[in-house]
Amino acid sequence: YSYRERRNRTLYLTNGTFTNGAYLTLFNGVIIDRAEGVLNSVPSFPVTVNVVYSGNSTISTGAELPVSTTVLQKLEVNKSGSVLLSSDITVNDTMKVILGSFNLNGFIITMGPAAYLTETPGNTVMGSAGYLVANRDLNAPTALNVAGLGAIFTTSQNMGMTEVIRGHTIQVEDTLESMERYYDISPANNSGLNATFVFKYDDSELNGFNPNNLVLFKSTNNGVNWFYEPSSNNPFAKEI
């Protein structure tokens, strides 16, 4: 195996298996930079930890990600291969996908109260199962991109505590398919909002569609039926 820990409190997992057993206690605020190396067991996590995925190969997440809903702060994907999620996680600060993809792999990413997602073109959170979820109190939001998930709201009304789910499962009605992104929006107040909603997407999610022809459909019965929603399309900004 190959690993290094520097005075800047970064643990590098380059390759092989680090047999840490029950003896690895991490500094508070440590950065775990994982390329191809692995921890063979869960370490003693501090109050906060940050995780970076680097290198080239495709890997599955492991013991480097804490189970606690408060410990994981910053999460970054910056590798030419993919990262496959292996458990539900909660991110409490920034989540960045700079290079590569972060495959939900059927699991859930909960965005904490201050968490925010940033992605780059072609480098995104994706996956045919699983989803990201954020809850925010939306009082008269103006062009608010909730947790960076790409669902943007404007209204002069108070929506209250609003749950936003972003998934990438293709939605189907009869023989018609959607692109590889959807949102579930559940505001506490859903009456008289007169809200504007912007749906952001990435070209990698088009599922063969011409971006110039995209339109919105909505469902009020959990995807059993879909109905056309009048909308305008801006393929240059990648939004509807």
Side-chain angles (χ1 to χ4, degrees):
Y1 62 84
S2 174
Y3 74 93
R4 295 174 292 158
E5 184 172 6
R6 293 180 174 174
R7 292 186 182 274
N8 63 0
R9 296 183 176 180
T10 301
L11 175 65
Y12 293 88
L13 299 170
T14 308
N15 56 64
T17 300
F18 181 10
T19 308
N20 54 296
Y23 306 106
L24 180 61
T25 299
L26 300 172
F27 285 108
N28 191 42
V30 67
I31 300 172
I32 301 175
D33 188 326
R34 183 181 168 201
E36 279 74 53
V38 297
L39 298 171
N40 82 320
S41 62
V42 177
S44 177
F45 284 111
V47 176
T48 64
V49 67
N50 307 288
V51 176
V52 174
Y53 291 100
S54 57
N56 302 307
S57 64
T58 294
I59 60 172
S60 296
T61 63
E64 74 282 352
L65 286 181
V67 174
S68 166
T69 59
T70 61
V71 171
L72 180 60
Q73 301 302 303
K74 297 179 181 180
L75 178 62
E76 180 179 305
V77 177
N78 193 4
K79 66 186 288 115
S80 55
S82 298
V83 178
L84 278 68
L85 189 60
S86 297
S87 63
D88 296 343
I89 60 171
T90 298
V91 179
N92 292 284
D93 199 323
T94 55
M95 178 176 178
K96 299 180 180 180
V97 185
I98 299 170
L99 177 64
S101 62
F102 196 90
N103 192 324
L104 293 163
N105 197 31
F107 294 98
I108 299 168
I109 299 176
T110 299
M111 305 296 285
Y116 197 87
L117 172 67
T118 62
E119 300 162 294
T120 57
N123 305 290
T124 65
V125 179
M126 45 78 72
S128 60
Y131 58 84
L132 305 99
V133 58
N135 286 275
R136 298 289 188 271
D137 191 3
L138 305 184
N139 187 357
T142 300
L144 180 63
N145 188 347
V146 175
L149 299 184
I152 303 174
F153 299 92
T154 297
T155 178
S156 61
Q157 304 302 307
N158 186 357
M159 298 173 64
M161 188 59 68
T162 301
E163 180 183 72
V164 176
I165 289 175
R166 170 180 141 185
H168 297 274
T169 306
I170 294 173
Q171 306 298 302
V172 179
E173 184 174 32
D174 296 327
T175 59
L176 300 177
E177 292 188 346
S178 73
M179 65 187 304
E180 296 173 18
R181 182 182 291 214
Y182 71 88
Y183 293 101
D184 282 341
I185 314 297
S186 302
N189 173 30
N190 197 25
S191 177
L193 293 179
N194 192 28
T196 299
F197 170 58
V198 177
F199 183 116
K200 300 286 288 185
Y201 64 88
D202 186 81
D203 282 345
S204 63
E205 302 161 347
L206 286 172
N207 190 26
F209 290 107
N210 184 331
N212 294 297
N213 299 330
L214 295 177
V215 295
L216 280 183
F217 283 78
K218 71 176 182 179
S219 174
T220 57
N221 56 5
N222 296 316
V224 176
N225 301 108
W226 292 90
F227 303 94
Y228 171 71
E229 182 73 12
S231 58
S232 58
N233 177 22
N234 186 342
F236 298 102
K238 305 185 192 311
E239 63 185 33
I240 309 171

